[in-house]
Amino acid sequence: MVNPPVWRASTHLYENTARLAEGPRRNEDGRFFYGRRGAPTQWALCEALTQIEPGAAGTVLYPSGVAAIAGVLLTLLRPGDVLLMTDNAYDPSRTMGKGLLKDFGIETRFFDPLDLPAYEALFCEKTRAVLLEAPGSLSMEVCDLPALARIAREKGALSVLDNTWAGPLGFAALEKGFDVTLMALTKHVGGHSDLMMGSASAGEELYARLRQRAQQLGTVVSPDDAALALRGLRTLDVRLRQETASALKIAQWLSGRAEVAQVLCPMLPGAPGHELWKRDFTGGCGLFSFVFRDVHAAGRNRFVDALELFGIGYSWGGFESLALPIEPANYRSCMAWPPGGGAPADRFGVRLSIGLEDPDDLIADIEQALGRMAAS
Ligand SMILES: *Cc1c(COP(=O)(O)O)cnc(C)c1O
């Protein structure tokens, strides 16, 4: 068989009480003991994810990307600790800092990841961990990830990267100095918009801690979903390369349009963050944003509504293209929006998740939607 079977099981039957008494060794994978600890289907997915993550000793699965973020932070942090979180983090991460973590006596401080001296100055004795994400959620800034991770290590804090955008094929987080890397498998690994899952990978010591905490929290994913994620993983590389090429073509086309003030696509030469992306990343994906020039929210929404090949919806990384109106100003504490000192009128944007359609068809669709935006 090429693929592992889907093992649906809660209970493992033992031959006799002596075998039962041998029990599982604590906190150890690879021996089927009870369904909550996973079964061979989930282990096969963990193993595959660990294999493509240089420097990882193991991978823990979570029922969603948000559950992965919570699982990791609740492993690393204790009451009284301070977490530094990048200001352009995925909004549910921000909400977690201000809600869940606060309730457990953990303080979250937001920082601008493009301002290294200010970031360095934020560390104090209580700073236990840093949560980074690049490119930034919605706004797509690329920060100097290796430098930010190095500073965290020098200051005695653990660094965590939400690496959902690039994944291990596009950015080898542990090799570049991060202690823990996590992903929403819901996005690229699933790849077909029919699966919710998350993962976190780390070296030996932290992997053991993550795994133990996940067990304490009762975290488990279904074997059916694990089989779907494994199937997605088989084609991850080709899908990412196709999406990246299409996104670049569309981003290039958009950058020549008068209606567009800025294209926020790190893969595009000349776009914000391109130089750091080129230096540190080994791949991209189909997700990027752009900001309109002097177009108000209503006009921007007319554009999105006029798109025919793009769905309107959350999430990304699937085979089908999606468009989402964005206004990152509502999701930040210390970073400026519009980006790069742009004119205040140029702040209404759209995030595109480019799928596997023909990029020329997508460009034609964007062109007709721009026409309809201007006509009304
Ligand atoms: C979608 C997303 C998540 C959360 O994943 P879910 O599976 O939807 O919970 C986390 N981080 C980033 C950057 C995301 O885009």
Side-chain angles (χ1 to χ4, degrees):
M1 253 180 307
V2 172
N3 285 304
V6 176
W7 290 62
R8 271 198 212 95
S10 62
T11 300
H12 175 68
L13 294 177
Y14 296 83
E15 277 167 52
N16 51 43
T17 51
R19 276 295 168 83
L20 182 72
E22 282 172 14
R25 274 151 290 185
R26 277 179 61 204
N27 197 34
E28 187 177 296
D29 259 336
R31 282 189 63 170
F32 188 58
F33 163 63
Y34 179 57
R36 200 186 331 99
R37 303 216 179 169
T41 319
Q42 291 96 319
W43 298 335
L45 174 59
C46 290
E47 227 174 273
L49 289 168
T50 302
Q51 264 174 20
I52 59 170
E53 186 70 65
T59 297
V60 179
L61 301 176
Y62 300 84
S64 69
V66 165
I69 298 165
V72 168
L73 295 178
L74 291 175
T75 301
L76 305 184
L77 297 163
R78 303 276 176 279
D81 287 347
V82 170
L83 167 71
L84 302 185
M85 189 184 297
T86 185
D87 201 33
N88 54 8
Y90 182 58
D91 190 51
S93 299
R94 296 176 54 89
T95 308
M96 198 180 295
K98 293 183 275 190
L100 175 79
L101 297 181
K102 183 163 177 271
D103 289 348
F104 283 93
I106 297 153
E107 189 193 334
T108 301
R109 293 180 189 159
F110 295 99
F111 65 91
D112 177 350
L114 304 179
D115 185 347
L116 260 66
Y119 162 76
E120 191 160 5
L122 260 189
F123 283 83
C124 66
E125 273 150 53
K126 293 179 180 171
T127 310
R128 175 90 61 184
V130 177
L131 177 65
L132 283 153
E133 188 180 324
S137 212
L138 306 178
S139 46
M140 310 301 294
E141 302 90 351
V142 183
C143 54
D144 190 340
L145 287 172
L148 290 154
R150 186 175 58 246
I151 290 168
R153 192 160 287 180
E154 283 164 11
K155 300 282 186 182
L158 294 165
S159 56
V160 180
L161 180 66
D162 180 339
N163 199 23
T164 301
W165 187 86
L169 303 181
F171 185 80
L174 301 179
E175 220 170 42
K176 299 268 187 194
F178 282 84
D179 294 299
V180 179
T181 177
L182 65 87
M183 269 193 291
L185 304 180
T186 308
K187 311 287 166 59
H188 288 125
V189 172
H192 298 76
S193 306
D194 52 7
L195 170 73
M196 301 294 301
M197 203 180 290
S199 69
S201 306
E204 201 130 1
E205 190 236 324
L206 281 171
Y207 164 66
R209 282 176 59 194
L210 289 170
R211 186 175 145 64
Q212 190 172 51
R213 183 53 46 103
Q215 285 297 313
Q216 289 166 345
L217 289 167
T219 305
V220 66
V221 307
S222 88
D224 301 78
D225 287 346
L228 270 182
L230 258 178
R231 168 170 294 201
L233 196 60
R234 311 291 190 212
T235 58
L236 177 65
D237 185 37
V238 282
R239 283 186 289 109
L240 282 178
R241 277 187 276 150
Q242 178 64 41
E243 274 182 26
T244 302
S246 297
L248 189 54
K249 188 169 189 185
I250 296 165
Q252 234 144 15
W253 183 86
L254 277 168
S255 65
R257 294 291 303 205
E259 303 93 330
V260 174
Q262 281 198 71
V263 179
L264 308 172
C265 175
M267 295 101 72
L268 180 69
H274 176 71
E275 293 307 317
L276 284 173
W277 176 80
K278 210 165 70 178
R279 187 192 74 182
D280 294 334
F281 287 65
T282 47
C285 72
L287 190 80
F288 71 95
S289 301
F290 66 93
V291 206
F292 279 113
R293 170 171 290 128
D294 220 4
V295 169
H296 280 282
R300 185 267 318 270
N301 293 348
R302 272 200 303 276
F303 165 79
V304 173
D305 288 335
L307 291 167
E308 283 166 6
L309 296 182
F310 289 79
I312 303 171
Y314 292 107
S315 201
W316 45 277
F319 61 90
E320 83 298 1
S321 293
L322 296 174
L324 189 74
I326 59 162
E327 237 181 299
N330 302 334
Y331 305 106
R332 42 200 59 202
S333 315
C334 58
M335 291 177 82
W337 185 265
D346 302 343
R347 58 181 232 265
F348 296 103
V350 176
R351 187 184 73 180
L352 298 177
S353 172
I354 303 302
L356 300 178
E357 303 91 339
D358 186 323
D360 292 327
D361 291 348
L362 296 174
I363 288 174
D365 191 31
I366 294 170
E367 188 165 27
Q368 68 77 24
L370 288 173
R372 278 163 67 184
M373 175 179 85
S376 44

